[in-house]
Amino acid sequence: MKRITALILTCLLSVGLLCGCGAQQPEPALPEIIIGSDTYPPYVYLDDNGDPTGIDVEIATEAFRRMGYQAVFTTIDWEQKKTLVDSGEIDCIWGCFSMSGREYDYQWAGPYAISRQVIAVDAGSDIYTMGDLAGKTIAVQSTGKPEDLFLHHRIADIPEFGAIISLEDRGVQYAALDCGYVDAVAAHEMAILQYMEDYGAEFRILDKPLLVTGIGVAFSNNDNRGLAQRLTETFAQMRQDGTLQEILGRYLEHPETYLEVESLGQ
């Protein structure tokens, strides 16, 4: 009886091992790409569980998955972004990052979408044009594109402001306008619209944009992995198969208008 029992156990073990050989094995984890960003709804922000989400997070997750990587977002000091990417502490910078004027500072992937830099004022303000801002106070984000445009007079018809207030926290500038501490703010149009929706603020965006620019992903000029070129090619595939429009459509009205990157060359 003992010999029969042992034989049965041996057979069962053999069958179990054979069946186990045919079982589906978990896929190996993809290598990580560390993405440095900042909170900037609707592009990058934290959901109710504290996890990164938003337009850029969804695009990055899908694009890098196609390239064989796992996208990992980490919050950085935005003013230190170039130092961080050049040192290799992060692999790239991604977060509604304007390419204009920075073309040679980084290796760029993109543009994958366009963004309008605009000026917003209180809905009841008597400011309607750039000229009306003479002597007024305007808030911008430190190291952002509007700060660069104003401080270095990179566009025509910039008035003599009463003060240009540079704030490290992007969200503070909108709150400053909402509370009446400043007369205007300058930033990405979509970020302003998102703040208005989230907080019920009543702003009015001036008709003429400061700048229409492409937004992209910045890699260090020292990076020799070819990731910027591969990511640009992946963006083209995602635009062609409708993935980019689908992602933007979950956050923005008329998403197709933000994908007209060909117009930037005109």
Side-chain angles (χ1 to χ4, degrees):
M1 178 64 69
K2 291 182 179 179
R3 297 176 67 181
I4 295 174
T5 302
L7 180 60
I8 293 173
L9 288 174
T10 301
C11 291
L12 289 174
L13 286 171
S14 298
V15 171
L17 290 172
L18 289 172
C19 291
C21 291
Q24 185 176 2
Q25 300 298 314
E27 294 183 3
L30 296 176
E32 294 181 347
I33 287 285
I34 307 301
I35 302 169
S37 192
D38 193 7
T39 302
Y40 201 35
Y43 294 93
V44 183
Y45 60 97
L46 300 181
D47 63 16
D48 293 339
N49 297 320
D51 298 319
T53 189
I55 294 171
D56 285 344
V57 176
E58 290 201 34
I59 293 175
T61 300
E62 174 60 18
F64 279 127
R65 183 196 66 79
R66 296 186 183 195
M67 293 169 56
Y69 294 94
Q70 177 185 354
V72 177
F73 274 78
T74 184
T75 301
I76 62 172
D77 179 346
W78 194 249
E79 294 185 8
Q80 299 299 317
K81 55 187 176 293
K82 192 172 192 307
T83 299
L84 292 171
V85 77
D86 284 343
S87 70
E89 187 167 338
I90 58 176
D91 291 297
C92 61
I93 307 164
W94 197 331
C96 193
F97 197 15
S98 302
M99 299 171 66
S100 178
R102 304 183 176 105
E103 291 87 351
Y104 302 105
D105 294 341
Y106 306 95
Q107 291 185 58
W108 285 98
Y112 60 90
I114 63 173
S115 179
R116 284 179 280 273
Q117 298 277 358
V118 299
I119 294 175
V121 298
D122 183 81
S125 172
D126 59 359
I127 299 171
Y128 289 91
T129 67
M130 178 79 77
D132 294 337
L133 286 164
K136 305 295 186 181
T137 300
I138 189 166
V140 297
Q141 188 199 9
S142 176
T143 74
K145 179 52 64 175
E147 180 191 61
D148 178 59
L149 295 174
F150 293 150
L151 293 181
H152 299 97
H153 294 269
R154 298 192 188 280
I155 56 176
D157 304 322
I158 294 179
E160 288 295 328
F161 294 106
I164 300 173
I165 301 177
S166 297
L167 300 166
E168 183 176 352
D169 188 330
R170 297 172 174 179
V172 172
Q173 61 180 321
Y174 312 130
L177 176 60
D178 205 11
C179 295
Y181 296 143
V182 298
D183 299 299
V185 297
H188 289 281
E189 181 181 44
M190 279 301 101
I192 294 172
L193 293 174
Q194 187 69 47
Y195 182 89
M196 292 168 62
E197 179 180 338
D198 290 345
Y199 296 96
E202 297 184 1
F203 299 157
R204 173 168 42 82
I205 295 175
L206 302 192
D207 291 337
K208 185 177 180 180
L210 287 172
L211 180 71
V212 179
T213 181
I215 53 178
V217 184
F219 294 81
S220 173
N221 282 326
N222 302 321
D223 196 315
N224 60 8
R225 294 173 292 178
L227 292 174
Q229 179 61 37
R230 288 180 58 195
L231 186 54
T232 297
E233 294 168 356
T234 303
F235 285 152
Q237 296 168 4
M238 293 173 65
R239 183 176 294 106
Q240 182 68 29
D241 65 24
T243 302
L244 286 180
Q245 182 165 330
E246 178 183 346
I247 292 173
L248 266 69
R250 291 198 277 269
Y251 298 86
L252 309 173
E253 294 184 2
H254 312 296
E256 66 281 357
T257 63
Y258 299 95
L259 295 174
E260 297 172 352
V261 295
E262 295 83 1
S263 65
L264 295 171
Q266 296 178 357

